[in-house]
Short mmCIF file of all heavy atoms in Angstrom, two decimals:
data_model
loop_
_atom_site.label_atom_id
_atom_site.label_comp_id
_atom_site.label_asym_id
_atom_site.label_seq_id
_atom_site.Cartn_x
_atom_site.Cartn_y
_atom_site.Cartn_z
N LEU J 1 0.80 -1.26 -0.05
CA LEU J 1 0.02 0.00 0.05
C LEU J 1 0.84 1.29 -0.02
O LEU J 1 0.44 2.26 -0.74
CB LEU J 1 -0.97 -0.03 1.13
CG LEU J 1 -2.22 -1.03 1.06
CD1 LEU J 1 -3.05 -0.80 2.29
CD2 LEU J 1 -2.93 -0.63 -0.16
N PRO J 2 1.94 1.45 0.72
CA PRO J 2 2.70 2.61 0.68
C PRO J 2 3.31 2.85 -0.66
O PRO J 2 3.45 3.99 -1.07
CB PRO J 2 3.81 2.45 1.60
CG PRO J 2 3.25 1.42 2.72
CD PRO J 2 2.42 0.52 1.94
N PHE J 3 3.60 1.80 -1.48
CA PHE J 3 4.07 1.94 -2.76
C PHE J 3 2.98 2.14 -3.89
O PHE J 3 3.24 2.80 -4.91
CB PHE J 3 4.95 0.72 -3.14
CG PHE J 3 6.15 0.59 -2.24
CD1 PHE J 3 6.04 -0.59 -1.43
CD2 PHE J 3 7.26 1.31 -2.26
CE1 PHE J 3 7.17 -0.83 -0.55
CE2 PHE J 3 8.24 1.20 -1.39
CZ PHE J 3 8.34 0.05 -0.56
N ILE J 4 1.76 1.61 -3.61
CA ILE J 4 0.76 1.90 -4.49
C ILE J 4 0.09 3.31 -4.36
O ILE J 4 -0.10 4.08 -5.28
CB ILE J 4 -0.36 0.74 -4.22
CG1 ILE J 4 0.16 -0.62 -4.59
CG2 ILE J 4 -1.67 1.04 -4.95
CD1 ILE J 4 -0.77 -1.77 -4.17
N TYR J 5 -0.23 3.63 -3.14
CA TYR J 5 -0.82 4.86 -2.96
C TYR J 5 0.13 6.05 -2.53
O TYR J 5 -0.25 7.23 -2.53
CB TYR J 5 -1.88 4.90 -1.62
CG TYR J 5 -3.01 3.88 -2.05
CD1 TYR J 5 -3.20 2.68 -1.53
CD2 TYR J 5 -3.98 4.32 -3.02
CE1 TYR J 5 -4.17 1.84 -1.90
CE2 TYR J 5 -4.99 3.55 -3.42
CZ TYR J 5 -5.15 2.30 -2.81
OH TYR J 5 -6.17 1.51 -3.28
N GLY J 6 1.29 5.74 -2.30
CA GLY J 6 2.36 6.82 -2.02
C GLY J 6 2.67 6.65 -0.44
O GLY J 6 1.87 6.46 0.35
N ILE J 7 3.96 6.92 -0.21
CA ILE J 7 4.44 6.83 1.14
C ILE J 7 3.83 7.93 1.97
O ILE J 7 3.48 7.75 3.12
CB ILE J 7 5.97 6.84 1.24
CG1 ILE J 7 6.55 5.63 0.52
CG2 ILE J 7 6.44 7.09 2.54
CD1 ILE J 7 8.13 5.64 0.35
N ASN J 8 3.62 9.18 1.49
CA ASN J 8 3.13 10.26 2.22
C ASN J 8 1.59 10.38 2.14
O ASN J 8 1.10 11.61 2.24
CB ASN J 8 3.81 11.53 1.80
CG ASN J 8 5.36 11.49 2.03
OD1 ASN J 8 5.70 10.92 3.10
ND2 ASN J 8 6.17 11.99 1.21
N SER J 9 0.85 9.34 1.77
CA SER J 9 -0.48 9.46 1.50
C SER J 9 -1.48 9.26 2.77
O SER J 9 -2.58 9.33 2.54
CB SER J 9 -0.94 8.55 0.26
OG SER J 9 -0.67 7.21 0.78
N ASP J 10 -0.93 8.89 3.71
CA ASP J 10 -1.70 8.61 5.04
C ASP J 10 -2.14 9.87 5.54
O ASP J 10 -1.35 10.73 5.98
CB ASP J 10 -0.98 7.86 6.00
CG ASP J 10 -1.76 7.27 7.21
OD1 ASP J 10 -2.93 7.57 7.21
OD2 ASP J 10 -1.28 6.59 7.89
N PRO J 11 -3.52 10.14 5.72
CA PRO J 11 -3.88 11.57 6.19
C PRO J 11 -3.69 11.70 7.79
O PRO J 11 -3.53 12.86 8.22
CB PRO J 11 -5.28 11.61 5.71
CG PRO J 11 -5.82 10.10 5.63
CD PRO J 11 -4.52 9.43 5.21
N ALA J 12 -3.75 10.55 8.39
CA ALA J 12 -3.65 10.65 9.90
C ALA J 12 -2.20 10.82 10.28
O ALA J 12 -1.92 11.30 11.41
CB ALA J 12 -4.15 9.46 10.61
N ARG J 13 -1.16 10.29 9.45
CA ARG J 13 0.24 10.28 9.88
C ARG J 13 1.12 10.98 8.76
O ARG J 13 0.54 11.16 7.73
CB ARG J 13 0.72 8.88 10.09
CG ARG J 13 0.11 8.32 11.45
CD ARG J 13 0.54 6.80 11.49
NE ARG J 13 0.25 6.29 12.89
CZ ARG J 13 -1.05 5.96 13.21
NH1 ARG J 13 -2.00 6.20 12.44
NH2 ARG J 13 -1.21 5.54 14.38
N ASN J 14 2.34 11.15 9.06
CA ASN J 14 3.10 11.67 8.08
C ASN J 14 3.51 10.67 6.90
O ASN J 14 3.55 11.08 5.79
CB ASN J 14 4.48 12.14 8.60
CG ASN J 14 4.23 13.44 9.56
OD1 ASN J 14 3.17 14.20 9.33
ND2 ASN J 14 5.07 13.69 10.54
N LYS J 15 3.72 9.42 7.32
CA LYS J 15 3.93 8.43 6.39
C LYS J 15 3.17 7.24 6.56
O LYS J 15 2.70 6.88 7.71
CB LYS J 15 5.53 8.04 6.52
CG LYS J 15 6.53 9.17 6.27
CD LYS J 15 7.92 8.77 6.13
CE LYS J 15 8.81 9.85 5.92
NZ LYS J 15 8.84 10.38 4.56
N ARG J 16 2.87 6.38 5.52
CA ARG J 16 2.05 5.23 5.64
C ARG J 16 2.92 4.05 6.02
O ARG J 16 3.95 3.75 5.40
CB ARG J 16 1.35 5.00 4.20
CG ARG J 16 0.35 3.95 4.16
CD ARG J 16 -0.29 3.76 2.80
NE ARG J 16 -1.13 4.86 2.46
CZ ARG J 16 -2.52 4.77 2.87
NH1 ARG J 16 -2.94 3.79 3.39
NH2 ARG J 16 -3.26 5.88 2.44
N TYR J 17 2.41 3.34 7.00
CA TYR J 17 3.09 2.06 7.49
C TYR J 17 2.11 0.97 7.25
O TYR J 17 0.90 1.08 7.11
CB TYR J 17 3.44 2.15 8.98
CG TYR J 17 4.44 3.05 9.31
CD1 TYR J 17 4.37 4.35 9.65
CD2 TYR J 17 5.78 2.57 9.28
CE1 TYR J 17 5.32 5.22 9.96
CE2 TYR J 17 6.87 3.54 9.62
CZ TYR J 17 6.62 4.72 10.03
OH TYR J 17 7.63 5.54 10.33
N PRO J 18 2.57 -0.22 7.09
CA PRO J 18 1.61 -1.38 7.08
C PRO J 18 0.86 -1.54 8.21
O PRO J 18 -0.44 -1.89 8.07
CB PRO J 18 2.57 -2.63 6.86
CG PRO J 18 3.93 -2.15 6.33
CD PRO J 18 4.06 -0.71 6.89
N PHE J 19 1.31 -1.38 9.49
CA PHE J 19 0.55 -1.47 10.61
C PHE J 19 0.52 -0.12 11.33
O PHE J 19 1.63 0.42 11.65
CB PHE J 19 1.11 -2.63 11.51
CG PHE J 19 1.24 -3.95 10.96
CD1 PHE J 19 2.44 -4.43 10.62
CD2 PHE J 19 0.02 -4.66 10.70
CE1 PHE J 19 2.49 -5.79 10.02
CE2 PHE J 19 0.22 -6.01 10.15
CZ PHE J 19 1.39 -6.52 9.75
N CYS J 20 -0.76 0.29 11.68
CA CYS J 20 -0.85 1.59 12.25
C CYS J 20 -0.57 1.42 13.89
O CYS J 20 -1.16 0.56 14.46
CB CYS J 20 -2.16 2.23 11.98
SG CYS J 20 -2.54 2.68 10.32
N SER J 21 0.28 2.28 14.23
CA SER J 21 0.53 2.24 15.75
C SER J 21 1.14 3.55 16.16
O SER J 21 1.36 4.32 15.17
CB SER J 21 1.35 1.01 16.20
OG SER J 21 2.60 1.29 15.70
N SER J 22 1.35 3.82 17.37
CA SER J 22 1.99 4.97 17.79
C SER J 22 3.57 4.75 17.73
O SER J 22 4.03 3.78 18.33
CB SER J 22 1.65 5.33 19.23
OG SER J 22 2.12 6.56 19.64
N TYR J 23 4.24 5.68 17.13
CA TYR J 23 5.81 5.68 17.01
C TYR J 23 6.50 6.56 17.82
O TYR J 23 5.95 7.76 17.73
CB TYR J 23 6.09 5.62 15.48
CG TYR J 23 5.52 4.52 14.82
CD1 TYR J 23 4.41 4.82 13.84
CD2 TYR J 23 6.03 3.25 14.83
CE1 TYR J 23 3.84 3.87 13.12
CE2 TYR J 23 5.44 2.24 14.09
CZ TYR J 23 4.24 2.48 13.23
OH TYR J 23 3.66 1.59 12.43
N TYR J 24 7.50 6.24 18.61
CA TYR J 24 8.23 7.18 19.38
C TYR J 24 9.49 7.60 18.75
O TYR J 24 10.59 7.72 19.48
CB TYR J 24 8.52 6.38 20.73
CG TYR J 24 7.28 6.01 21.47
CD1 TYR J 24 6.95 4.62 21.44
CD2 TYR J 24 6.33 6.81 22.05
CE1 TYR J 24 5.75 4.18 21.96
CE2 TYR J 24 5.30 6.37 22.74
CZ TYR J 24 4.92 5.12 22.74
OH TYR J 24 3.82 4.63 23.35
N TRP J 25 9.42 7.94 17.50
CA TRP J 25 10.65 8.51 16.84
C TRP J 25 10.26 9.50 15.82
O TRP J 25 8.99 9.70 15.60
CB TRP J 25 11.43 7.37 16.21
CG TRP J 25 10.60 6.61 15.29
CD1 TRP J 25 10.31 6.86 14.05
CD2 TRP J 25 10.20 5.31 15.42
NE1 TRP J 25 9.56 5.79 13.53
CE2 TRP J 25 9.49 4.76 14.31
CE3 TRP J 25 10.34 4.31 16.58
CZ2 TRP J 25 8.93 3.62 14.22
CZ3 TRP J 25 9.72 3.17 16.41
CH2 TRP J 25 9.12 2.74 15.22
N ASP J 26 11.17 10.02 15.25
CA ASP J 26 10.93 11.05 14.20
C ASP J 26 10.32 10.51 12.96
O ASP J 26 10.86 9.76 12.19
CB ASP J 26 12.28 11.77 13.83
CG ASP J 26 12.11 12.83 12.82
OD1 ASP J 26 10.99 13.38 12.63
OD2 ASP J 26 13.05 13.27 12.11
N GLU J 27 9.02 10.76 12.76
CA GLU J 27 8.30 10.23 11.73
C GLU J 27 8.67 10.72 10.39
O GLU J 27 8.20 10.28 9.30
CB GLU J 27 6.64 10.24 12.02
CG GLU J 27 6.35 9.53 13.16
CD GLU J 27 4.74 9.58 13.39
OE1 GLU J 27 4.13 10.22 12.62
OE2 GLU J 27 4.32 9.05 14.42
N LYS J 28 9.33 11.91 10.33
CA LYS J 28 9.68 12.48 9.03
C LYS J 28 10.98 12.01 8.42
O LYS J 28 11.28 12.37 7.43
CB LYS J 28 9.64 14.06 9.23
CG LYS J 28 8.39 14.53 9.59
CD LYS J 28 8.39 16.00 9.79
CE LYS J 28 6.99 16.44 10.26
NZ LYS J 28 6.96 17.92 10.53
N SER J 29 11.71 11.27 9.16
CA SER J 29 13.09 10.72 8.73
C SER J 29 12.84 9.58 7.73
O SER J 29 12.13 8.49 8.08
CB SER J 29 13.91 10.31 9.92
OG SER J 29 14.95 9.63 9.33
#
């Protein structure tokens, strides 16, 4: 999905991951 719809296509987060969860790091890197 990140490759089909684009890595930056997730409206709720900065980047699209396979599994949604809370990440404790820089999400823009």
Side-chain angles (χ1 to χ4, degrees):
L1 289 178
F3 299 110
I4 293 172
Y5 294 109
I7 294 172
N8 296 323
S9 64
D10 191 357
R13 293 179 165 69
N14 291 331
K15 297 190 183 289
R16 184 180 290 270
Y17 288 93
F19 301 109
C20 294
S21 66
S22 180
Y23 300 105
Y24 301 105
W25 55 74
D26 181 18
E27 294 180 2
K28 296 179 182 179
S29 171

